[in-house]
Amino acid sequence: MQVSMTVNGQAVSGDVDPRTLLVHYLREDLRLTGTHVGCETSYCGACTVIVDGKAVKSCTMLTAQAEGAEITTIEGLAENGDLHPVQEGFWERHGLQCGFCTPGMILSAVTLLDENADPSEDEIRLGIEGNLCRCTGYHNIVKAIEYAGAKLRGEEPAPAEWEVNA
Amino acid sequence: MSTTSALGGVVRRREDPALIQGKGLFVDDVNLHGMLHVAFVRSPFAHAKITSVDTAAAQAMRGVRAVYTADDVRHLGLLPAQAAAVGRPLLADGEVNHMGEAVAMIVAETRAQAQDAVDAVEADYDRLPVVIDLKEALANTNLVHEGVESNTLITWTAPFGMEEDGLNELRAKIDGYKAQDDVVVVSLEMVNQRLIPVAIEPRSVVAEWHAGYQQMTVHSSSQSIGAVASSVAIMLGIPYNQVRGIAPEVGGGFGAKLALYADELLIPWAARELDTPVKYTETRREAASNTIQGRGWLGTATITGTRDGQVLSYEIDAICDLGAYCQDLTVAIPFLGVFVGSGQYAFDTRMQLDCVVTNKQTTDAYRGAGRPEAIYYIERIMDAYSREIGMDPAEVKMKNFIPSESFPGATSPVGFAMDTGDYAMNLQAMLDSPEYGAMKLARDELRSDGKLVGLGMSTYVEACGFGPSALVDLGFSWSGYGQPSAFNGSGLVRVNPDGTANVIIGTGPSGQGHQTTWAQIVSNELGIEMDKIRVTHGDTKDAPVTIGTFGSRSAAVDGSATFEASRKVREKAARIAADLLEASEADIQFADGGAHVAGSPDKRVEWAAIAEVAYQPHRMPGGEEGGLEAHAIFSPGNATWPFGSVACLVTVDPDTGDVSIEDWVSMDDCGNVINPMIVDGQIHGGIAQGVGQALFEEAIYDDEGNLLTAGLIDYPMVTAVDVPSFNLSRTTTPTDVNPMGVKGIGEAGTIGAAQTLVNAVVDALAPLGVKHVDMPMRPRRVWQAIQDAKASA
């Protein structure tokens, strides 16, 4: 069947098997492999993308359901080569280790900060509950989102907490 | 910013820009022209004879290119493993021994076609009695493997190397302690349950055969790509240098991507058979049932000690669940528990670990691998003993630690030489920390509010940084994969004609930030700017030895090799610089991208000028040969022995049994630290995995051997709301077994965590009379413990 949508600001269209999941269309047809498949059961959140402003697990959505939608994947987050403040926060605060959950985690954090510009630590933790990370224990992901929140509000982020060797 | 980096400095990770923009390359992102896709037909039964496998219907399906069974691959032999008392066939051969074992392999043009064809394969089975319960396995009520006369494949005992006579004498000695007046004997049977490692990236393999060059390229999401490449070479009957193994980004490993898997051989084999690239990516369900699992001990720990806190002896008798087959280091994992023995303590210790096969998936290395289990038992029983005699656990620990005067060169009660340690200093540092003080205050406050609140503590020591070449003699090496080297490190440093450097290392990350850390090591030694150093890992075409990342070994072993290679390059460069600057070689120093004469920063040459001489050999001083590179193999004198102290505060909801972690303090000691940011990150993640074991995770097989936790909905993972932010601090006790004094930190967080939480929950419930709660401490189990305690009160 024919589908068309906007992905990272570009109009795209294609012919897909009706059973094609959005994540497979993004990864295999559009070759946007930054969106990852971790569990196929909408549990881990590695496949999270932004669909019409909402964080959506793209393994739980058919490509056909995205007809006419506006989609942002991790590849479309930086603008003109400038990292989004959430991306910057993950880099500055060591919010990633293996990087596999990171695209989904970053996109969830973007929508979280869209909805709540100054979240508390508990609100951040609740906001990313649907995205699993096995590497970081979430500690630095929370710090990364706090960093990004401050940047987006035009404030100076809290200093990093590393205990540097003397 | 272009800077050089000192060890101990925070440097943002160089691997991050690609990963935060979705531009990293994971194996499943590899997409080759004409690539075929694989799906496996898997056994629904845990133990059965295979009476027939009919593949005709599947073979006739659209897009299906081949269907293979044991008949097609039997000639390839069993899956290579390092310690394979019972090896695994590449495809089940006449019998299946755990649910999910692969019976047939389908290769089709699309993944969907391959998966569709799975249902068209008709396999018939005659079911056999299953062995699930560990005590029944030990009793040989039923046998897992026909022809293997006991389910117990090996029994590890400690002290290490002690013969039966000696062990009997030790038993008699401990019985003597127990018979003394005024001693207490505290004993608990405890479960250290089976876990599923759950890297968020499923394993994936892509193979391409170049018939013209007789060259195989295998991409695999592996922690030990050298073992994959050499095993593929042996299987295909071609030399090692005709196989190129590539592990690009690896999306989490935690030990589970260390073992060699049948698909890592079958996919390259099929790619050559069909002369077409082939890919296989496991599903989450396959990741649960067919990637190795971890832990799985049922043990009784016993402390005999005086009423004033002097422990006389520690004993552990445990049954360790190996699963159906030996893969990689399966039987050796419990032995790593013997390594750490009774942890940091100086008392008599006796261990007996019976390792049994069962009709479940294989167990192997999972973060900590044997050491979290061993430390769990000693630290839980030390806590129970402290509680029994009414003493502060910290005070009991202080009384029984191996004294700091014994280091360096202490020998543990189970007979292993340890490097460096100062356990009392480290524990005191935690007790004195403001974070721990705040935690105690919070406990008292919550208690006065009438909450069920508990403060738990644990200390730990681990043996890691493997390792010394001589471990080959104990069976620890990759020789089973055709890699004769022991767990040595490898590092190659080359300064290029333009003054940039390439660093090629024999290990690769699955999130640990090797590109950053290794560049720091080289930058620190050579004074070359960080952004002029390129680190290559995970490619067997470049590195002569690629053992990999596991056992918290990379920095201590491969890092040390890289350090030594850098030093060799520096010495040669110093001779060139001395000649150019007409100075003494001893006065040459390296910093800020070049060499200068000590005390005269203006007398300076850039690295490019030094390299220019090295690549024009006629200009080399003293007729020395040209070039500016060095390779080093490093074998440490011993494992390293990091240690630490951990405490946490929990509240327990008496109505639901829900455990909530209010605060966490860790005081770790991993020796010198190369990048504090990365070290902290390793500890955070390690703690969370220990929390997962303590509170949520368990691989559950029913009586028929069905894995009931094959998806993430049934296997609850730690989410962001389940953990607090962690308070981390460090003491620094450098090791003396490597030149940088680093010990390794990949597993320490996990090793210290689980029992800290159990000790905290028991502390909370002790007023009700609860003495132990087995992991995972899910609400229902905790609630039940509260009800049982109330009923018997």
Short mmCIF file of all heavy atoms in Angstrom, two decimals, chain B residues 534-574:
data_model
loop_
_atom_site.label_atom_id
_atom_site.label_comp_id
_atom_site.label_asym_id
_atom_site.label_seq_id
_atom_site.Cartn_x
_atom_site.Cartn_y
_atom_site.Cartn_z
N ARG B 534 43.64 8.49 17.20
CA ARG B 534 42.49 7.68 16.76
C ARG B 534 42.64 6.28 17.33
O ARG B 534 43.66 5.63 17.15
CB ARG B 534 42.45 7.64 15.24
CG ARG B 534 41.22 6.94 14.72
CD ARG B 534 41.10 7.09 13.20
NE ARG B 534 39.93 6.37 12.73
CZ ARG B 534 38.71 6.91 12.72
NH1 ARG B 534 38.52 8.14 13.12
NH2 ARG B 534 37.67 6.19 12.30
N VAL B 535 41.59 5.83 18.01
CA VAL B 535 41.62 4.50 18.64
C VAL B 535 40.75 3.55 17.83
O VAL B 535 39.59 3.84 17.55
CB VAL B 535 41.10 4.58 20.09
CG1 VAL B 535 41.09 3.19 20.73
CG2 VAL B 535 41.95 5.55 20.92
N THR B 536 41.33 2.43 17.42
CA THR B 536 40.60 1.42 16.65
C THR B 536 40.46 0.17 17.51
O THR B 536 41.42 -0.28 18.12
CB THR B 536 41.38 1.04 15.37
OG1 THR B 536 41.59 2.23 14.61
CG2 THR B 536 40.62 0.04 14.53
N HIS B 537 39.26 -0.36 17.54
CA HIS B 537 39.03 -1.57 18.34
C HIS B 537 38.05 -2.46 17.61
O HIS B 537 37.37 -2.04 16.67
CB HIS B 537 38.49 -1.20 19.72
CG HIS B 537 37.29 -0.30 19.69
ND1 HIS B 537 36.06 -0.72 19.24
CD2 HIS B 537 37.13 1.00 20.03
CE1 HIS B 537 35.20 0.28 19.33
NE2 HIS B 537 35.82 1.34 19.78
N GLY B 538 37.98 -3.69 18.09
CA GLY B 538 36.93 -4.58 17.59
C GLY B 538 37.07 -4.97 16.14
O GLY B 538 36.08 -5.20 15.46
N ASP B 539 38.31 -5.05 15.62
CA ASP B 539 38.51 -5.48 14.24
C ASP B 539 39.74 -6.37 14.21
O ASP B 539 40.85 -5.91 14.47
CB ASP B 539 38.69 -4.26 13.33
CG ASP B 539 38.63 -4.63 11.86
OD1 ASP B 539 38.99 -5.78 11.51
OD2 ASP B 539 38.24 -3.77 11.05
N THR B 540 39.52 -7.65 13.86
CA THR B 540 40.64 -8.59 13.95
C THR B 540 41.67 -8.39 12.85
O THR B 540 42.75 -8.95 12.91
CB THR B 540 40.14 -10.05 13.91
OG1 THR B 540 39.48 -10.28 12.67
CG2 THR B 540 39.18 -10.33 15.06
N LYS B 541 41.33 -7.61 11.83
CA LYS B 541 42.34 -7.38 10.79
C LYS B 541 43.46 -6.49 11.31
O LYS B 541 44.56 -6.51 10.80
CB LYS B 541 41.69 -6.83 9.53
CG LYS B 541 41.94 -5.39 9.20
CD LYS B 541 41.30 -5.02 7.91
CE LYS B 541 40.85 -3.56 7.87
NZ LYS B 541 41.57 -2.59 8.69
N ASP B 542 43.18 -5.70 12.34
CA ASP B 542 44.16 -4.75 12.85
C ASP B 542 44.97 -5.28 14.03
O ASP B 542 46.15 -5.02 14.14
CB ASP B 542 43.46 -3.46 13.30
CG ASP B 542 42.74 -2.78 12.14
OD1 ASP B 542 43.32 -2.76 11.05
OD2 ASP B 542 41.62 -2.31 12.34
N ALA B 543 44.28 -5.94 14.96
CA ALA B 543 44.94 -6.29 16.23
C ALA B 543 45.37 -7.75 16.23
O ALA B 543 44.60 -8.62 15.84
CB ALA B 543 43.99 -6.02 17.38
N PRO B 544 46.59 -8.02 16.66
CA PRO B 544 47.06 -9.40 16.66
C PRO B 544 46.37 -10.25 17.72
O PRO B 544 46.23 -11.45 17.56
CB PRO B 544 48.56 -9.27 16.93
CG PRO B 544 48.72 -7.94 17.59
CD PRO B 544 47.63 -7.08 17.06
N VAL B 545 45.98 -9.64 18.80
CA VAL B 545 45.31 -10.37 19.88
C VAL B 545 44.05 -9.60 20.23
O VAL B 545 44.12 -8.41 20.54
CB VAL B 545 46.21 -10.47 21.12
CG1 VAL B 545 45.48 -11.20 22.25
CG2 VAL B 545 47.52 -11.16 20.79
N THR B 546 42.90 -10.24 20.13
CA THR B 546 41.65 -9.55 20.46
C THR B 546 40.88 -10.41 21.44
O THR B 546 40.00 -11.16 21.07
CB THR B 546 40.80 -9.30 19.21
OG1 THR B 546 40.80 -10.50 18.43
CG2 THR B 546 41.32 -8.16 18.38
N ILE B 547 41.25 -10.31 22.70
CA ILE B 547 40.61 -11.14 23.72
C ILE B 547 39.26 -10.53 24.09
O ILE B 547 38.26 -11.23 24.14
CB ILE B 547 41.52 -11.26 24.95
CG1 ILE B 547 42.81 -11.99 24.57
CG2 ILE B 547 40.82 -11.98 26.09
CD1 ILE B 547 42.63 -13.41 24.10
N GLY B 548 39.23 -9.25 24.36
CA GLY B 548 37.94 -8.61 24.56
C GLY B 548 37.74 -8.02 25.94
O GLY B 548 38.63 -8.01 26.78
N THR B 549 36.52 -7.54 26.12
CA THR B 549 36.16 -6.84 27.35
C THR B 549 35.30 -7.74 28.21
O THR B 549 34.20 -8.11 27.83
CB THR B 549 35.40 -5.55 27.00
OG1 THR B 549 36.32 -4.63 26.40
CG2 THR B 549 34.82 -4.90 28.25
N PHE B 550 35.83 -8.11 29.35
CA PHE B 550 35.07 -8.90 30.33
C PHE B 550 35.90 -8.95 31.60
O PHE B 550 37.11 -8.69 31.58
CB PHE B 550 34.78 -10.32 29.83
CG PHE B 550 36.01 -11.10 29.41
CD1 PHE B 550 36.69 -11.89 30.34
CD2 PHE B 550 36.49 -11.03 28.13
CE1 PHE B 550 37.82 -12.60 29.96
CE2 PHE B 550 37.63 -11.74 27.75
CZ PHE B 550 38.29 -12.52 28.67
N GLY B 551 35.27 -9.31 32.70
CA GLY B 551 36.01 -9.46 33.95
C GLY B 551 36.74 -8.18 34.35
O GLY B 551 37.82 -8.25 34.94
N SER B 552 36.17 -7.04 34.00
CA SER B 552 36.77 -5.75 34.37
C SER B 552 38.25 -5.70 34.04
O SER B 552 39.07 -5.26 34.83
CB SER B 552 36.54 -5.48 35.87
OG SER B 552 35.19 -5.59 36.20
N ARG B 553 38.58 -6.18 32.83
CA ARG B 553 39.98 -6.38 32.50
C ARG B 553 40.57 -5.35 31.53
O ARG B 553 41.79 -5.24 31.42
CB ARG B 553 40.19 -7.78 31.88
CG ARG B 553 39.52 -7.95 30.53
CD ARG B 553 39.75 -9.35 29.94
NE ARG B 553 41.12 -9.58 29.58
CZ ARG B 553 41.71 -9.10 28.48
NH1 ARG B 553 41.03 -8.33 27.65
NH2 ARG B 553 42.97 -9.38 28.21
N SER B 554 39.72 -4.61 30.81
CA SER B 554 40.23 -3.86 29.67
C SER B 554 41.31 -2.84 30.06
O SER B 554 42.39 -2.83 29.50
CB SER B 554 39.09 -3.15 28.95
OG SER B 554 38.48 -4.03 28.04
N ALA B 555 41.00 -1.96 31.00
CA ALA B 555 41.96 -0.91 31.35
C ALA B 555 43.20 -1.51 32.00
O ALA B 555 44.33 -1.14 31.68
CB ALA B 555 41.31 0.11 32.29
N ALA B 556 42.98 -2.47 32.90
CA ALA B 556 44.11 -3.03 33.65
C ALA B 556 45.05 -3.83 32.76
O ALA B 556 46.26 -3.86 32.99
CB ALA B 556 43.59 -3.91 34.80
N VAL B 557 44.51 -4.48 31.74
CA VAL B 557 45.33 -5.40 30.95
C VAL B 557 45.64 -4.80 29.57
O VAL B 557 46.80 -4.54 29.25
CB VAL B 557 44.65 -6.78 30.84
CG1 VAL B 557 45.60 -7.77 30.18
CG2 VAL B 557 44.23 -7.28 32.22
N ASP B 558 44.63 -4.56 28.77
CA ASP B 558 44.89 -3.95 27.45
C ASP B 558 45.32 -2.49 27.60
O ASP B 558 46.11 -1.98 26.80
CB ASP B 558 43.66 -4.05 26.56
CG ASP B 558 43.43 -5.47 26.08
OD1 ASP B 558 42.93 -6.27 26.89
OD2 ASP B 558 43.77 -5.80 24.94
N GLY B 559 44.79 -1.82 28.61
CA GLY B 559 45.24 -0.45 28.88
C GLY B 559 46.71 -0.42 29.24
O GLY B 559 47.47 0.45 28.78
N SER B 560 47.13 -1.40 30.03
CA SER B 560 48.55 -1.46 30.40
C SER B 560 49.42 -1.77 29.20
O SER B 560 50.53 -1.25 29.07
CB SER B 560 48.75 -2.52 31.48
OG SER B 560 48.05 -2.15 32.66
N ALA B 561 48.93 -2.64 28.32
CA ALA B 561 49.68 -2.94 27.09
C ALA B 561 49.85 -1.66 26.26
O ALA B 561 50.94 -1.39 25.73
CB ALA B 561 48.96 -4.01 26.27
N THR B 562 48.78 -0.88 26.17
CA THR B 562 48.84 0.36 25.40
C THR B 562 49.79 1.36 26.06
O THR B 562 50.56 2.06 25.39
CB THR B 562 47.43 0.96 25.27
OG1 THR B 562 46.57 -0.05 24.73
CG2 THR B 562 47.42 2.18 24.38
N PHE B 563 49.73 1.39 27.38
CA PHE B 563 50.65 2.24 28.14
C PHE B 563 52.10 1.86 27.82
O PHE B 563 52.94 2.72 27.53
CB PHE B 563 50.37 2.09 29.64
CG PHE B 563 51.30 2.83 30.54
CD1 PHE B 563 51.01 4.13 30.95
CD2 PHE B 563 52.48 2.23 31.01
CE1 PHE B 563 51.86 4.81 31.79
CE2 PHE B 563 53.33 2.91 31.84
CZ PHE B 563 53.03 4.21 32.24
N GLU B 564 52.38 0.57 27.82
CA GLU B 564 53.76 0.13 27.57
C GLU B 564 54.18 0.38 26.12
O GLU B 564 55.33 0.75 25.86
CB GLU B 564 53.91 -1.35 27.93
CG GLU B 564 53.71 -1.56 29.44
CD GLU B 564 54.32 -2.84 29.97
OE1 GLU B 564 54.40 -3.82 29.19
OE2 GLU B 564 54.69 -2.85 31.16
N ALA B 565 53.25 0.19 25.20
CA ALA B 565 53.56 0.49 23.79
C ALA B 565 53.85 1.99 23.63
O ALA B 565 54.78 2.39 22.92
CB ALA B 565 52.41 0.06 22.89
N SER B 566 53.05 2.82 24.30
CA SER B 566 53.27 4.28 24.23
C SER B 566 54.65 4.62 24.77
O SER B 566 55.35 5.48 24.23
CB SER B 566 52.23 5.02 25.09
OG SER B 566 50.95 4.70 24.70
N ARG B 567 55.02 3.95 25.83
CA ARG B 567 56.32 4.23 26.46
C ARG B 567 57.47 3.88 25.51
O ARG B 567 58.45 4.61 25.39
CB ARG B 567 56.42 3.45 27.77
CG ARG B 567 57.61 3.84 28.57
CD ARG B 567 57.33 3.84 30.05
NE ARG B 567 56.62 5.04 30.48
CZ ARG B 567 56.43 5.37 31.76
NH1 ARG B 567 56.88 4.60 32.72
NH2 ARG B 567 55.79 6.48 32.09
N LYS B 568 57.30 2.77 24.79
CA LYS B 568 58.35 2.38 23.83
C LYS B 568 58.46 3.45 22.73
O LYS B 568 59.57 3.81 22.32
CB LYS B 568 58.01 1.03 23.17
CG LYS B 568 58.15 -0.17 24.08
CD LYS B 568 57.94 -1.44 23.23
CE LYS B 568 57.52 -2.62 24.07
NZ LYS B 568 57.25 -3.82 23.25
N VAL B 569 57.32 3.91 22.25
CA VAL B 569 57.33 4.95 21.21
C VAL B 569 57.97 6.21 21.77
O VAL B 569 58.77 6.89 21.10
CB VAL B 569 55.89 5.23 20.70
CG1 VAL B 569 55.87 6.48 19.82
CG2 VAL B 569 55.36 4.02 19.94
N ARG B 570 57.64 6.53 23.01
CA ARG B 570 58.18 7.76 23.62
C ARG B 570 59.71 7.69 23.74
O ARG B 570 60.41 8.67 23.49
CB ARG B 570 57.57 7.96 25.01
CG ARG B 570 57.89 9.33 25.57
CD ARG B 570 57.18 9.56 26.88
NE ARG B 570 57.91 8.95 27.98
CZ ARG B 570 57.60 9.15 29.26
NH1 ARG B 570 56.58 9.90 29.58
NH2 ARG B 570 58.30 8.58 30.20
N GLU B 571 60.19 6.48 24.11
CA GLU B 571 61.65 6.36 24.26
C GLU B 571 62.37 6.58 22.93
O GLU B 571 63.40 7.25 22.88
CB GLU B 571 61.99 4.98 24.85
CG GLU B 571 61.67 4.90 26.34
CD GLU B 571 61.62 3.47 26.89
OE1 GLU B 571 61.93 2.53 26.12
OE2 GLU B 571 61.26 3.32 28.07
N LYS B 572 61.79 6.01 21.87
CA LYS B 572 62.41 6.19 20.56
C LYS B 572 62.32 7.66 20.12
O LYS B 572 63.29 8.25 19.63
CB LYS B 572 61.73 5.29 19.52
CG LYS B 572 62.41 5.30 18.16
CD LYS B 572 61.83 4.20 17.28
CE LYS B 572 62.60 4.08 15.97
NZ LYS B 572 62.07 2.99 15.13
N ALA B 573 61.14 8.24 20.36
CA ALA B 573 60.94 9.64 19.98
C ALA B 573 61.89 10.55 20.77
O ALA B 573 62.37 11.57 20.24
CB ALA B 573 59.49 10.05 20.20
N ALA B 574 62.15 10.18 22.00
CA ALA B 574 63.04 11.00 22.83
C ALA B 574 64.46 11.00 22.26
O ALA B 574 65.17 12.01 22.29
CB ALA B 574 63.04 10.48 24.27
#
